[in-house]
Amino acid sequence: MTPELLVDVILAVGLVALSLRVVSGGELFRDIVVFIVFGLVVALSWARLGSPDLALAEAAIGAGVTGALMLMAYRRLASRSGGASGDRSRRLRLAAPVAVLAGTAVAIIGLAALGIDGASDSGGAAALAALPATGLGNPVTGVLLMFRGLDTLLELVVLLVVLLGAWAMMIPGPPPALHLVSRDTPLVAALLTIAAPLCVLVAVHLLVVGADEPGGAFQAGAVLAAGGVLLVLTGVLRPSREAGPVIRLAVLVGPAAFVVVGVSAMAFGRPVMELPGLWAVYLIETAMMISIAVTLSLLFGRSGGFRRGGP
Amino acid sequence: MSSLAVYVVAAAAVFGVGVYGLIVADHVLRKLLALNMMGSAVFVLMVAVSGSAQGRPDPVAQALVLTGIVIAVAATAFALALLVRIHHDTGRVTLSERGDDDD
């Protein structure tokens, strides 16, 4: 067994062991934390599979944002345990066979697909061939922005619809304060002074290098959202019920910039969603980053908007 | 056994564990954890399989999975918003077809 394969086997065993731990039914809080660790191991697996873009996205979005949302919901639900429902015994009897069947089916499909020789004219090969003409170096960014722009636009629309849905489901009355510590606590102010600008710096870095290296608007938006979560938890931003004009603008700027640039291509005789150049990629990605960061922060705070908190 | 096959088998196992967790969990938060793990398993499987032909993952598959990750977190956020509202209105954190939970 080569050292590389050994690393893969260790990661794979880790994935399965952590997933078993999550469903084993201990304390819910601990299971959520183990789920976050599971997400980080998935990120490592993607780094090993040769996809650093996905590794970054999984670490920031899959493990980070999902974990923060889960922990916040756990806090809101006051750690109630689920009561056992009546048909539980029947479900328990069926669970293991159904799970084994499902896992076996997925294994058969996956191993069969591994044996298939890829078609030479696949979409990925076409994207790699057409990439140099776009001026981009990162094929994933190329696919997301240049070749499959409509998918990415609709993805932003899904985020917007989710935010509208969450707003519709908001609990009546003023949103509860979410901060855990005040800024007077020793070291918190110092932490904020370092961490908040660092989030902005890392996000902008991911955005800028995303054209040629691993990174991009989604990873950058998630890192920025992590900064937003930090500001909410320390009470610098307080949730408010109504979204102010700045928040509304920030939520809409991503899809709006994409639509305006994509549709205005028609005025110059090009197909819809064909971006005119690299400047358009940077413009749209910046707008996307802002929208994604604000949307995720609002979903975390379960609030319509934010106002500046007192010291 | 190649390293891609290792990840395919692990993804299938995690998917099965996720199905089990989804069925046995009572708390909706647990069901969401299991559902997210099933999603991650499918994403890992897709990326591993797409890389079998040319030695590195297909960029279209990577973009698809990146989209999938963001949609998954969005769907989870909406599900959590529904759960918090259900808990606020009924005091329950479980799903019951009969509507009369025994807690």
Side-chain angles (χ1 to χ4, degrees):
Chain A
M1 192 182 270
T2 61
E4 286 85 5
L5 189 60
L6 189 64
V7 173
D8 290 330
V9 170
I10 290 171
L11 282 175
V13 170
L15 280 178
V16 179
L18 286 169
S19 69
L20 279 170
R21 198 96 176 102
V22 172
V23 302
S24 64
E27 200 196 333
L28 183 53
F29 176 80
R30 196 206 61 189
D31 290 345
I32 296 174
V33 174
V34 175
F35 170 78
I36 296 172
V37 178
F38 171 82
L40 291 175
V41 178
V42 172
L44 286 176
S45 308
W46 270 324
R48 283 286 306 145
L49 282 168
S51 180
D53 289 279
L54 289 179
L56 282 171
E58 176 69 31
I61 305 173
V65 176
T66 309
L69 286 168
M70 291 274 186
L71 286 174
M72 187 50 93
Y74 172 80
R75 212 178 121 200
R76 281 290 179 84
L77 300 178
S79 65
R80 292 169 57 99
S81 64
S85 43
D87 50 355
R88 190 178 161 80
S89 57
R90 198 164 62 88
R91 273 193 298 148
L92 283 183
R93 265 207 318 277
L94 282 176
V98 171
V100 169
L101 260 176
T104 313
V106 172
I108 291 171
I109 294 170
L111 291 175
L114 265 188
I116 300 173
D117 288 329
S120 56
D121 57 347
S122 70
L128 284 174
L131 191 69
T134 64
L136 288 169
N138 182 351
V140 179
T141 305
V143 171
L144 282 175
L145 271 296
M146 291 279 192
F147 306 132
R148 305 286 312 204
L150 193 61
D151 292 353
T152 311
L153 171 61
L154 291 178
E155 181 181 359
L156 291 177
V157 174
V158 169
L159 267 181
L160 188 62
V161 170
V162 162
L163 183 64
L164 293 177
W167 278 352
M169 286 297 131
M170 234 193 305
I171 293 166
L178 292 176
H179 58 280
L180 294 169
V181 289
S182 84
R183 268 180 293 171
D184 302 335
T185 316
L187 295 180
V188 167
L191 172 74
L192 278 181
T193 318
I194 297 169
L198 202 60
C199 281
V200 178
L201 189 70
V202 172
V204 173
H205 172 77
L206 282 172
L207 186 77
V208 173
V209 302
D212 294 313
E213 313 268 332
F218 290 107
Q219 293 90 339
V223 170
L224 214 50
V229 167
L230 192 67
L231 294 182
V232 171
L233 287 179
T234 49
V236 178
L237 291 176
R238 303 271 169 107
S240 64
R241 190 155 181 80
E242 293 296 321
V246 178
I247 294 282
R248 289 172 194 227
L249 194 69
V251 165
L252 284 176
V253 67
F258 217 144
V259 169
V260 168
V261 176
V263 171
S264 65
M266 283 167 74
F268 301 95
R270 289 191 305 269
V272 185
M273 304 307 293
E274 189 183 293
L275 302 186
L278 269 186
W279 63 268
V281 171
Y282 281 115
L283 179 78
I284 292 173
E285 286 215 299
T286 309
M288 278 169 64
M289 173 184 77
I290 294 169
S291 284
I292 292 165
V294 173
T295 304
L296 291 176
S297 303
L298 286 172
L299 285 172
F300 175 77
R302 277 190 216 305
S303 55
F306 289 119
R307 60 190 168 78
R308 206 182 288 267
Chain B
M1 203 178 197
S2 76
S3 63
L4 286 181
V6 170
Y7 284 109
V8 167
V9 171
V14 171
F15 188 87
V17 171
V19 170
Y20 176 81
L22 190 65
I23 295 174
V24 301
D26 281 320
H27 201 302
V28 178
L29 216 47
R30 283 188 190 284
K31 284 193 191 288
L32 285 174
L33 289 177
L35 209 57
N36 268 295
M37 288 199 308
M38 286 165 66
S40 295
V42 173
F43 295 153
V44 169
L45 188 82
M46 274 181 71
V47 173
V49 167
S50 80
S52 60
Q54 57 271 59
R56 52 173 303 206
D58 189 298
V60 174
Q62 289 188 60
L64 258 176
V65 169
L66 190 55
T67 307
I69 292 174
V70 178
I71 299 295
V73 73
T76 304
F78 185 58
L80 289 173
L82 283 174
L83 173 60
V84 168
R85 184 62 192 262
I86 288 172
H87 174 251
H88 177 266
D89 288 353
T90 69
R92 285 167 32 199
V93 288
T94 58
L95 301 173
S96 166
E97 282 175 19
R98 296 184 308 281
D100 53 349
D101 230 25
D102 46 357
D103 63 324

XYZ file of all heavy atoms in Angstrom, chain A residues 201-269:
468
model
N -10.217 40.640 4.309
C -8.988 40.455 3.524
C -8.990 39.095 2.825
O -8.725 38.999 1.611
C -7.777 40.585 4.447
C -6.410 40.642 3.776
C -6.251 41.960 3.039
C -5.304 40.485 4.798
N -9.292 38.027 3.601
C -9.301 36.680 3.025
C -10.367 36.579 1.939
O -10.146 35.986 0.868
C -9.531 35.627 4.130
C -9.743 34.254 3.529
C -8.360 35.602 5.083
N -11.541 37.170 2.190
C -12.626 37.094 1.209
C -12.215 37.758 -0.101
O -12.378 37.183 -1.180
C -13.890 37.755 1.775
N -11.654 38.966 -0.009
C -11.259 39.669 -1.234
C -10.143 38.908 -1.936
O -10.121 38.798 -3.172
C -10.846 41.118 -0.903
C -10.266 41.798 -2.137
C -12.035 41.897 -0.386
N -9.229 38.322 -1.142
C -8.156 37.521 -1.743
C -8.737 36.335 -2.517
O -8.383 36.098 -3.676
C -7.197 37.038 -0.657
C -6.178 36.061 -1.146
N -5.078 36.441 -1.869
C -6.126 34.712 -1.054
C -4.372 35.368 -2.184
N -4.973 34.314 -1.702
N -9.668 35.598 -1.881
C -10.282 34.443 -2.545
C -10.985 34.872 -3.820
O -10.964 34.175 -4.840
C -11.284 33.766 -1.601
C -10.711 32.875 -0.520
C -11.805 32.438 0.433
C -10.064 31.650 -1.132
N -11.624 36.046 -3.759
C -12.358 36.546 -4.925
C -11.402 36.856 -6.067
O -11.621 36.467 -7.215
C -13.134 37.798 -4.529
C -14.052 38.356 -5.601
C -15.298 37.511 -5.679
C -14.398 39.789 -5.303
N -10.315 37.549 -5.749
C -9.406 38.010 -6.801
C -8.640 36.831 -7.407
O -8.544 36.710 -8.625
C -8.435 39.075 -6.244
C -7.384 39.417 -7.285
C -9.209 40.319 -5.852
N -8.116 35.926 -6.551
C -7.351 34.812 -7.110
C -8.274 33.781 -7.751
O -7.804 32.924 -8.487
C -6.465 34.110 -6.057
C -5.500 35.075 -5.436
C -7.292 33.392 -5.029
N -9.595 33.864 -7.460
C -10.531 32.871 -7.970
C -10.547 32.770 -9.477
O -10.979 31.754 -10.023
N -10.086 33.806 -10.179
C -10.061 33.748 -11.643
C -9.037 32.727 -12.117
O -9.246 32.072 -13.135
C -9.757 35.126 -12.206
N -7.933 32.597 -11.399
C -6.867 31.722 -11.882
C -6.566 30.560 -10.948
O -6.088 29.526 -11.373
C -5.580 32.540 -12.068
C -5.742 33.572 -13.172
O -6.243 33.197 -14.237
O -5.388 34.739 -12.946
N -6.795 30.751 -9.668
C -6.453 29.734 -8.670
C -7.734 29.302 -7.972
O -8.789 29.891 -8.197
C -5.501 30.334 -7.618
C -4.355 31.110 -8.197
C -3.135 30.244 -8.406
O -2.998 29.270 -7.658
O -2.347 30.533 -9.315
N -7.644 28.274 -7.105
C -8.843 27.902 -6.345
C -9.405 29.081 -5.557
O -8.654 29.837 -4.940
C -8.333 26.808 -5.409
C -7.167 26.235 -6.111
C -6.548 27.350 -6.873
N -10.697 29.220 -5.580
C -11.357 30.329 -4.897
C -12.510 30.783 -5.747
O -12.828 30.160 -6.747
N -13.141 31.882 -5.366
C -14.255 32.384 -6.138
C -15.280 33.048 -5.253
O -15.077 33.198 -4.045
N -16.399 33.455 -5.859
C -17.373 34.275 -5.153
C -18.040 33.519 -4.010
O -18.307 34.105 -2.962
C -18.430 34.773 -6.136
N -18.298 32.220 -4.208
C -19.021 31.494 -3.161
C -18.155 31.322 -1.915
O -18.608 31.545 -0.796
C -19.477 30.133 -3.683
C -20.557 30.244 -4.701
C -20.302 30.015 -6.032
C -21.835 30.633 -4.326
C -21.300 30.146 -6.976
C -22.832 30.772 -5.256
C -22.567 30.522 -6.597
N -16.895 30.937 -2.130
C -15.992 30.781 -0.995
C -15.789 32.128 -0.301
O -15.820 32.229 0.934
C -14.653 30.235 -1.461
C -14.702 28.803 -1.982
C -14.985 28.720 -3.472
O -15.511 29.644 -4.060
N -14.640 27.593 -4.079
N -15.593 33.195 -1.120
C -15.379 34.524 -0.551
C -16.602 34.981 0.232
O -16.487 35.521 1.334
C -15.055 35.504 -1.674
N -17.797 34.747 -0.344
C -19.030 35.151 0.340
C -19.190 34.427 1.665
O -19.619 35.012 2.662
N -18.809 33.130 1.695
C -18.945 32.368 2.931
C -17.985 32.881 4.001
O -18.345 32.964 5.180
C -18.705 30.886 2.665
N -16.752 33.234 3.604
C -15.788 33.761 4.582
C -16.284 35.102 5.132
O -16.209 35.364 6.338
C -14.396 33.901 3.932
C -13.461 34.660 4.842
C -13.831 32.536 3.613
N -16.833 35.917 4.225
C -17.381 37.206 4.673
C -18.568 36.985 5.620
O -18.730 37.704 6.611
C -17.813 37.998 3.435
C -17.655 39.515 3.457
C -16.264 39.919 3.886
C -17.990 40.096 2.094
N -19.388 35.974 5.299
C -20.522 35.657 6.170
C -20.041 35.216 7.544
O -20.677 35.513 8.560
C -21.389 34.570 5.535
N -18.901 34.495 7.585
C -18.343 34.093 8.881
C -18.005 35.335 9.702
O -18.240 35.370 10.920
C -17.096 33.241 8.670
N -17.470 36.371 9.045
C -17.240 37.636 9.732
C -18.537 38.226 10.255
O -18.605 38.742 11.376
N -19.604 38.129 9.444
C -20.912 38.622 9.867
C -21.418 37.880 11.091
O -21.941 38.491 12.033
N -21.235 36.547 11.085
C -21.651 35.736 12.238
C -20.918 36.194 13.493
O -21.503 36.337 14.578
C -21.377 34.241 11.945
C -21.486 33.410 13.211
C -22.333 33.726 10.891
N -19.614 36.466 13.346
C -18.798 36.925 14.478
C -19.344 38.254 15.030
O -19.472 38.437 16.248
C -17.354 37.090 14.003
C -16.300 37.291 15.066
C -16.167 36.031 15.887
C -14.975 37.645 14.428
N -19.698 39.170 14.110
C -20.217 40.472 14.545
C -21.573 40.320 15.234
O -21.882 41.053 16.175
C -20.325 41.418 13.343
C -19.004 41.830 12.692
C -19.248 42.802 11.558
C -18.058 42.457 13.714
N -22.385 39.355 14.754
C -23.683 39.132 15.396
C -23.487 38.555 16.796
O -24.121 38.988 17.766
C -24.552 38.183 14.540
C -25.803 37.768 15.298
C -24.937 38.854 13.230
N -22.580 37.582 16.920
C -22.398 36.905 18.206
C -21.775 37.832 19.253
O -21.923 37.586 20.449
C -21.525 35.652 18.029
C -22.210 34.491 17.330
C -21.264 33.315 17.193
C -23.460 34.058 18.087
N -21.045 38.853 18.809
C -20.453 39.767 19.773
C -21.303 41.027 19.958
O -20.907 41.931 20.686
C -19.035 40.181 19.332
O -19.089 40.597 17.971
C -18.068 39.037 19.466
N -22.460 41.063 19.282
C -23.375 42.171 19.516
C -23.011 43.455 18.789
O -23.619 44.492 19.050
N -22.034 43.413 17.899
C -21.732 44.615 17.111
C -22.881 44.889 16.150
O -23.270 46.030 15.927
C -20.409 44.439 16.334
C -20.112 45.653 15.490
C -19.270 44.175 17.306
N -23.436 43.816 15.597
C -24.648 43.925 14.786
C -25.786 43.292 15.573
O -25.667 42.163 16.053
C -24.472 43.196 13.448
C -23.493 43.791 12.442
C -23.382 42.883 11.232
C -23.929 45.184 12.026
N -26.876 44.026 15.709
C -28.050 43.478 16.398
C -29.130 43.195 15.369
O -29.384 44.032 14.500
C -28.589 44.488 17.410
C -27.561 44.929 18.440
C -27.590 44.003 19.634
N -26.433 44.276 20.486
C -26.521 44.892 21.669
N -27.681 45.288 22.120
N -25.439 45.087 22.384
N -29.787 42.024 15.465
C -30.861 41.731 14.513
C -32.013 42.717 14.675
O -32.348 43.109 15.793
C -31.322 40.328 14.904
C -30.263 39.786 15.777
C -29.576 40.935 16.415
N -32.599 43.132 13.559
C -33.791 43.962 13.610
C -34.830 43.331 12.696
O -34.522 42.480 11.873
C -33.479 45.383 13.152
O -33.084 45.375 11.803
N -36.078 43.736 12.876
C -37.147 43.069 12.142
C -37.180 43.506 10.675
O -37.370 42.684 9.775
C -38.478 43.373 12.818
C -39.567 42.541 12.252
C -40.718 42.321 13.185
N -41.694 41.486 12.512
C -41.587 40.173 12.401
N -40.582 39.554 12.965
N -42.483 39.476 11.744
N -37.018 44.788 10.448
C -37.159 45.324 9.096
C -35.805 45.387 8.398
O -34.792 45.690 9.012
C -37.765 46.730 9.151
C -39.195 46.755 9.632
C -40.116 46.016 8.670
O -39.931 46.136 7.445
O -41.016 45.307 9.166
N -35.822 45.096 7.093
C -34.617 45.237 6.289
C -34.512 46.681 5.820
O -35.441 47.207 5.219
C -34.662 44.291 5.102
N -33.392 47.331 6.120
C -33.182 48.693 5.649
C -32.835 48.693 4.170
O -32.625 47.643 3.571
N -32.788 49.873 3.576
C -32.474 49.945 2.140
C -31.108 49.372 1.793
O -30.957 48.758 0.729
C -32.548 51.448 1.834
C -32.553 52.135 3.156
C -33.102 51.180 4.151
N -30.126 49.544 2.684
C -28.783 49.023 2.384
C -28.814 47.501 2.309
O -28.232 46.883 1.406
C -27.777 49.500 3.452
C -26.397 48.911 3.175
C -27.714 51.012 3.489
N -29.513 46.862 3.275
C -29.601 45.400 3.294
C -30.308 44.897 2.048
O -29.875 43.944 1.392
C -30.359 44.946 4.570
C -29.551 45.273 5.819
C -30.685 43.464 4.501
C -28.418 44.336 6.096
N -31.439 45.560 1.691
C -32.180 45.110 0.503
C -31.305 45.198 -0.735
O -31.285 44.287 -1.568
C -33.426 45.981 0.304
C -34.476 45.712 1.353
C -35.613 46.702 1.255
N -36.413 46.627 2.463
C -37.732 46.554 2.472
N -38.394 46.566 1.345
N -38.380 46.472 3.610
N -30.580 46.305 -0.842
C -29.699 46.496 -1.999
C -28.630 45.406 -2.027
O -28.348 44.810 -3.073
C -29.061 47.883 -1.924
C -28.379 48.368 -3.196
C -29.413 48.641 -4.270
C -27.561 49.618 -2.922
N -28.042 45.126 -0.853
C -26.950 44.143 -0.789
C -27.448 42.752 -1.165
O -26.747 41.986 -1.821
C -26.347 44.127 0.612
N -28.689 42.425 -0.764
C -29.225 41.103 -1.063
C -29.481 40.964 -2.562
O -29.303 39.890 -3.147
C -30.520 40.872 -0.250
C -31.292 39.688 -0.790
C -30.189 40.664 1.213
N -29.875 42.072 -3.200
C -30.277 41.998 -4.604
C -29.139 42.226 -5.576
O -29.262 41.898 -6.759
C -31.374 43.043 -4.879
C -32.763 42.687 -4.367
C -33.716 43.841 -4.609
C -33.270 41.440 -5.058
N -28.023 42.804 -5.118
C -27.015 43.279 -6.064
C -26.397 42.130 -6.875
O -26.103 42.308 -8.070
C -25.927 44.114 -5.340
C -25.106 43.262 -4.412
C -25.020 44.818 -6.316
N -26.270 40.939 -6.274
C -25.666 39.811 -6.987
C -26.480 39.380 -8.190
O -26.015 39.461 -9.340
N -27.752 38.899 -7.961
C -28.560 38.524 -9.119
C -28.762 39.686 -10.093
O -28.773 39.465 -11.308
C -29.895 38.076 -8.502
C -29.747 38.135 -7.041
C -28.389 38.579 -6.680
N -28.922 40.908 -9.553
C -29.188 42.048 -10.433
C -28.009 42.297 -11.366
O -28.193 42.469 -12.579
C -29.496 43.293 -9.600
N -26.786 42.286 -10.813
C -25.609 42.536 -11.659
C -25.485 41.452 -12.722
O -25.174 41.739 -13.893
C -24.348 42.576 -10.795
N -25.749 40.208 -12.324
C -25.666 39.091 -13.271
C -26.665 39.280 -14.420
O -26.333 39.154 -15.610
C -25.972 37.783 -12.526
C -25.152 36.627 -12.979
C -24.711 35.674 -12.075
C -24.826 36.462 -14.315
C -23.945 34.596 -12.485
C -24.073 35.389 -14.738
C -23.636 34.451 -13.820
N -27.918 39.618 -14.054
C -28.963 39.767 -15.069
C -28.639 40.937 -15.994
O -28.718 40.821 -17.226
C -30.341 39.966 -14.395
C -31.376 40.398 -15.422
C -30.776 38.685 -13.718
N -28.237 42.084 -15.409
C -27.994 43.277 -16.228
C -26.868 43.009 -17.229
O -27.005 43.258 -18.429
C -27.665 44.489 -15.324
C -27.124 45.637 -16.159
C -28.908 44.922 -14.570
N -25.739 42.462 -16.730
C -24.612 42.205 -17.642
C -24.983 41.130 -18.657
O -24.684 41.248 -19.857
C -23.356 41.794 -16.844
C -22.226 41.436 -17.789
C -22.929 42.916 -15.916
N -25.679 40.066 -18.185
C -26.021 38.963 -19.075
C -26.985 39.366 -20.167
O -26.817 38.994 -21.329
N -27.995 40.161 -19.809
C -29.006 40.537 -20.799
C -28.474 41.629 -21.726
O -28.785 41.625 -22.925
C -30.306 40.987 -20.090
C -31.291 41.587 -21.078
C -30.939 39.802 -19.381
N -27.649 42.535 -21.189
C -27.159 43.622 -22.042
C -26.245 43.091 -23.142
O -25.969 43.794 -24.117
C -26.435 44.673 -21.202
O -25.284 44.091 -20.636
N -25.793 41.819 -23.014
C -25.014 41.225 -24.100
C -25.825 41.202 -25.386
O -25.278 41.319 -26.489
C -24.577 39.810 -23.719
N -27.150 41.061 -25.239
C -28.014 41.013 -26.417
C -27.934 42.304 -27.222
O -28.051 42.288 -28.458
C -29.466 40.763 -25.991
C -29.747 39.335 -25.613
S -31.319 39.185 -24.771
C -32.439 39.381 -26.145
N -27.749 43.434 -26.533
C -27.707 44.714 -27.234
C -26.510 44.781 -28.184
O -26.519 45.555 -29.150
C -27.648 45.863 -26.232
N -25.479 43.981 -27.895
C -24.296 43.994 -28.750
C -24.286 42.780 -29.690
O -23.247 42.409 -30.228
C -23.030 44.008 -27.897
C -22.957 45.194 -26.985
C -23.388 45.107 -25.669
C -22.489 46.412 -27.458
C -23.344 46.204 -24.840
C -22.454 47.520 -26.625
C -22.874 47.423 -25.319
N -25.441 42.154 -29.842
C -25.563 41.066 -30.801
C -24.969 39.753 -30.346
O -24.701 38.880 -31.164
